[in-house]
Amino acid sequence: MAYNKDFELVEALEPTVRKLMAEHRDRRKHWYFHDLIPWEEGRSFVKEPWEESQATINERARTSLVFPVELEDDRMATMTTGYFPDYSRPAELFAYTSAQELATRVSHRNAGKITEDETAFELMRNIAADENHHFMFYKGVMQAMIDLHPAMALEGILNTMRNFQMPGVGIPGFVRRSIEIAKAGVYNLRVHHDNVLMPLLKQWGIGELKGLDAKASELQAALMALPAEIMGKAERFEARFGTAATASV
């Protein structure tokens, strides 16, 4: 029965998805990373090996930005292990991609800001802009789900937000890195609360939904109580580890 309802919901969304895809293609701007790299500063490190003291990006930012050879090793480990989010319903999947793309936009932008390197900042700014285009598409699909079937949509959002994790959980040393990234203010529970969870609840108008049935009303109340739960966790994390002030986005 649930499958049939999911199928019907996806089928009803098709015109909206086509419209949002067309808007996405019109909105996006092509850019190329090689246009941003100061190639004139490059040199061979075969005879003169690179040393960490030559880095133009500060240490706390380098935790957020993984570089070769480490980047390739982590990519292979991630691809070998795989990442399988435990979301099978359409509402869960689109709630997850909405939050994940927004979280990525926020974290990339913040990582660029703390590099103290003009080239790195510009590169991360462009990547964050791309993530924002993706976010706008997924957010739009989720909004259409809310309008068509509030109960299914709210259930998907709640299931996702209660257990939200970024795909990077499979990267070797993820816990250690995530703590350092949190301390630097690139991405932590407070950033998640302020710049992902709260904006999504507001933009989807979750608190203002009217005419809901009993189940949907219960889900709405649980979602509106979630920010306080997240902020409580944020404060406990900050008390234990200490974090930098939330970076603006």
Side-chain angles (χ1 to χ4, degrees):
M1 187 68 176
Y3 172 80
N4 290 335
K5 288 184 177 180
D6 286 339
F7 181 80
E8 291 171 4
L9 178 61
V10 170
E11 191 174 51
L13 285 170
E14 185 176 352
T16 299
V17 171
R18 290 183 182 277
K19 175 178 177 292
L20 290 170
M21 280 298 298
E23 291 175 354
H24 171 72
R25 293 190 182 99
D26 290 340
R27 183 176 58 243
R28 65 180 182 175
K29 295 180 180 180
H30 288 292
W31 63 277
Y32 302 94
F33 79 92
H34 55 257
D35 290 333
L36 304 176
I37 304 300
W39 299 107
E40 67 279 2
E41 297 179 13
R43 71 178 191 271
S44 172
F45 293 101
V46 175
K47 294 183 179 180
E48 183 184 352
W50 182 85
E51 296 181 357
E52 189 173 348
S53 61
Q54 298 170 325
T56 60
I57 298 175
N58 62 59
E59 184 176 358
R60 65 175 185 156
R62 294 202 299 274
T63 302
S64 304
L65 306 173
V66 182
F67 302 101
V69 171
E70 191 176 7
L71 176 63
E72 181 62 14
D73 291 343
D74 285 352
R75 185 189 71 81
M76 288 298 296
T78 302
M79 294 301 293
T80 300
T81 304
Y83 175 68
F84 305 96
D86 190 23
Y87 305 127
S88 58
R89 310 279 301 272
E92 294 173 343
L93 290 169
F94 279 98
Y96 176 76
T97 49
S98 297
Q100 187 268 328
E101 294 292 351
L102 179 54
T104 309
R105 184 196 84 182
V106 169
S107 59
H108 286 341
R109 183 80 176 191
N110 285 344
K113 285 186 175 183
I114 68 169
T115 59
E116 301 173 1
D117 181 276
E118 184 177 348
T119 299
F121 171 77
E122 188 63 18
L123 180 62
M124 299 307 291
R125 186 188 68 80
N126 278 273
I127 295 174
D130 283 349
E131 300 295 347
N132 190 55
H133 293 317
H134 306 157
F135 161 65
M136 292 175 69
F137 169 77
Y138 290 119
K139 182 189 71 170
V141 175
M142 196 69 241
Q143 182 66 67
M145 285 189 178
I146 294 170
D147 296 339
L148 286 169
H149 204 304
M152 290 178 67
L154 293 178
E155 184 176 20
I157 296 171
L158 182 61
N159 291 344
T160 299
M161 294 302 183
R162 273 182 169 166
N163 304 288
F164 180 75
Q165 289 183 320
M166 294 289 278
V169 294
I171 295 175
F174 177 80
V175 174
R176 174 185 59 79
R177 292 179 186 175
S178 64
I179 291 174
E180 293 303 315
I181 289 170
K183 289 180 178 180
V186 173
Y187 202 86
N188 52 46
L189 286 171
R190 187 177 291 273
V191 173
H192 179 73
H193 172 277
D194 293 349
N195 298 298
V196 176
L197 180 58
M198 291 301 293
L200 284 174
L201 293 178
K202 182 178 180 180
Q203 291 177 36
W204 284 330
I206 302 299
E208 287 72 46
L209 293 174
K210 306 294 184 183
L212 302 176
D213 60 24
K215 179 181 179 181
S217 295
E218 184 178 340
L219 292 165
Q220 180 188 43
L223 271 170
M224 297 312 296
L226 191 57
E229 296 178 25
I230 300 298
M231 185 53 69
K233 292 179 181 179
E235 291 172 349
R236 288 192 292 274
F237 180 91
E238 291 165 356
R240 180 179 180 184
F241 294 103
T243 60
T246 301
S248 59
V249 293

